Amino acid sequence: MVKLRLKRCGRKQRATAVYRIVAIDVRSRREGKDLRKVGFYDPMKNQTYLNVPAILYFLERGAQPTGTVQNLLKKAEVFKELPSN
């Protein structure tokens, strides 16, 4: 099963962590090998970049977003672009 979740990157041991939004296998650890990078999130600057076509591709094939990623996608109104079945 594939999940859309946050992967920490940037400088270590700092409060200024930034995150990549990645599609990753459920069994992988947080810093494990991802299938594809689909976005970027900086909580300090409140910046978000989303590759919407890639996110929709994974969601249509059954990927489950984590809670935080789901909140980011709701804010960006990505679920409105998802075709309903």
Side-chain angles (χ1 to χ4, degrees):
M1 178 185 216
V2 176
K3 280 216 178 233
L4 296 176
R5 66 182 185 202
L6 297 175
K7 183 176 183 179
R8 188 175 173 150
C9 61
R11 295 179 69 177
K12 294 182 181 175
Q13 303 295 326
R14 288 205 38 153
T16 58
V18 292
Y19 299 90
R20 285 192 178 123
I21 301 168
V22 296
I24 193 167
D25 187 29
V26 173
R27 296 166 291 190
S28 297
R29 57 194 181 98
R30 183 185 73 184
E31 306 303 328
K33 182 153 175 62
D34 51 72
L35 301 173
R36 184 163 180 194
K37 296 169 186 72
V38 295
F40 176 82
Y41 174 56
D42 185 352
M44 299 299 287
K45 297 180 184 173
N46 204 15
Q47 279 184 322
T48 306
Y49 165 76
L50 301 172
N51 183 350
V52 177
I55 292 171
L56 292 176
Y57 171 83
F58 283 106
L59 289 175
E60 288 170 355
R61 281 152 183 80
Q64 298 293 316
T66 60
T68 306
V69 172
Q70 188 166 6
N71 291 339
L72 291 171
L73 296 178
K74 279 183 187 175
K75 276 186 192 174
E77 300 179 348
V78 170
F79 292 115
K80 290 183 179 178
E81 297 178 30
L82 194 63
S84 57
N85 293 334

